[in-house]
Amino acid sequence: MLYDALIAPFLEFEFMRRALAGVVALALGGAPIGVFLMLRRMSLVGDAMAHAILPGAAIGFLFSGLNLFAMTFGGLIAGFSVALLAGLVSRVTVIKEDASLAAFYLVSLAVGVTIVSMRGTNIDLLHVLFGNILALDDQTLLVIAFNATITLVVMAVIYRPLVIECVDPVFLRTVSRAGAPAHLAFLALVVVNLVNGFHALGTLLAVGLMILPAGIARFWSRDITGMMMISVASAMISGYFGLVLSFQTKVPSGPAIILVAAVLYVFSVLFGNVSGLVRQLFPGRHLEA
């Protein structure tokens, strides 16, 4: 029974194996990025940027249909453009960066949906908004894996300044000039991984496997390295059981993955050993001298 439910779908169907490989790549690339978004209090920025890539992907769709490289390139250009424009507006006007991003992402979402609706069908619109990880082809899987590899390599290079900036940004500015380049590289990685998530989960859920696993990890570890490892593991678990849930029921694959992650998040809120509600209500005995 457990074999038929948990293992057989991945042995019998190639599309399930591709989807699982895509989930693993998304977890390896996106979950560590989510940890730093959370620690830098930029979680909602990630959500705004996920919507910002839509018009670029939609323009790629307008000219080439559901062409992988056109939509990827368009999404990257749109994401970088919105990030730069929002930063510019916040620096030269009285509008703060969060309000500037909110304005741009709402405009981007409206423009993207309009473009897809004018050219495509309701099925195309649903594909763009919610994705379909069960329909990943070899090219898409290779792009996701390549982006995840680039993310891990760049993260290894900028890891130290990112950690120091999360802990003490003033200290980093006084001892090094690596803060600004590391921040720009980090924003670039955010956009790259949102484009990854867009292909698998759609623009509305692209940020899900970045933020929810990071929130889960925060309740189980105080160490950044530990949080990154837990976030990657929880993203993989959410992806695996989400695919199983989608296969066994009529729940779409993307929402199923995010729902499993949400269940893990609620469990962590209740029982996590770092500020979990049950832990706070029933603290263990402290060692006495």
Side-chain angles (χ1 to χ4, degrees):
M1 184 65 178
L2 287 177
Y3 173 86
D4 292 336
L6 301 179
I7 299 176
F10 299 98
L11 295 179
E12 295 178 8
F13 299 101
E14 184 179 359
F15 71 88
M16 290 292 288
R17 293 194 293 272
R18 287 179 177 175
L20 184 60
V23 163
V24 171
L26 289 174
L28 288 172
I33 296 294
V35 170
F36 282 104
L37 281 173
M38 179 188 65
L39 293 176
R40 294 157 71 98
R41 300 181 180 180
M42 295 173 62
S43 298
L44 291 178
V45 171
D47 187 51
M49 293 300 298
H51 295 80
I53 67 176
L54 181 57
I59 291 173
F61 171 80
L62 182 66
F63 287 101
S64 305
L66 293 173
N67 181 277
L68 170 66
F69 295 103
M71 295 179 71
T72 299
F73 183 73
L76 288 172
I77 296 298
F80 289 132
S81 299
V82 168
L84 292 173
L85 287 173
L88 179 63
V89 169
S90 66
R91 288 181 181 275
V92 301
T93 69
V94 296
I95 300 295
K96 299 297 183 182
E97 190 170 15
D98 59 341
S100 178
L101 272 172
F104 276 106
Y105 104 74
L106 287 170
V107 172
S108 298
L109 183 61
V111 171
V113 170
T114 300
I115 292 174
V116 177
S117 300
M118 290 174 61
R119 168 67 186 270
T121 65
N122 288 336
I123 294 177
D124 294 327
L125 181 59
L126 288 174
H127 177 85
V128 169
L129 292 179
F130 299 104
N132 187 2
I133 196 169
L134 296 179
L136 291 180
D137 56 18
D138 290 339
Q139 283 188 328
T140 307
L141 194 57
L142 286 173
V143 168
I144 292 174
F146 176 78
N147 288 342
T149 303
I150 293 296
T151 298
L152 292 176
V153 171
V154 176
M155 281 283 289
V157 174
I158 65 174
Y159 180 76
R160 289 190 66 183
L162 276 182
V163 172
I164 297 173
E165 190 173 27
C166 290
V167 177
D168 193 344
V170 176
F171 173 75
L172 179 63
R173 285 196 294 269
T174 59
V175 300
S176 174
R177 295 182 179 179
H183 180 71
L184 292 175
F186 175 71
L187 289 179
L189 292 182
V190 172
V191 174
V192 167
N193 282 275
L194 287 174
V195 171
N196 261 6
F198 165 78
H199 286 304
L201 303 174
T203 187
L204 295 183
L205 298 176
V207 76
L209 278 185
M210 295 170 65
I211 300 303
L212 279 173
I216 292 167
R218 186 65 182 88
F219 286 101
W220 296 101
S221 177
R222 299 181 187 275
D223 177 71
I224 293 180
T225 303
M227 281 190 282
M228 292 174 66
M229 295 176 64
I230 293 171
S231 67
V232 170
S234 60
M236 290 183 181
I237 292 171
S238 300
Y240 176 81
F241 285 101
L243 291 174
V244 171
L245 175 63
S246 176
F247 184 82
Q248 300 294 343
T249 66
K250 294 183 179 180
V251 180
S253 53
I257 292 171
I258 302 305
L259 286 174
V260 173
V263 170
L264 292 178
Y265 180 78
V266 172
F267 179 84
S268 301
V269 171
L270 294 174
F271 301 105
N273 58 10
V274 180
S275 301
L277 295 179
V278 173
R279 182 80 172 186
Q280 294 184 56
L281 292 174
F282 304 100
R285 291 181 175 271
H286 295 282
L287 294 177
E288 297 180 359

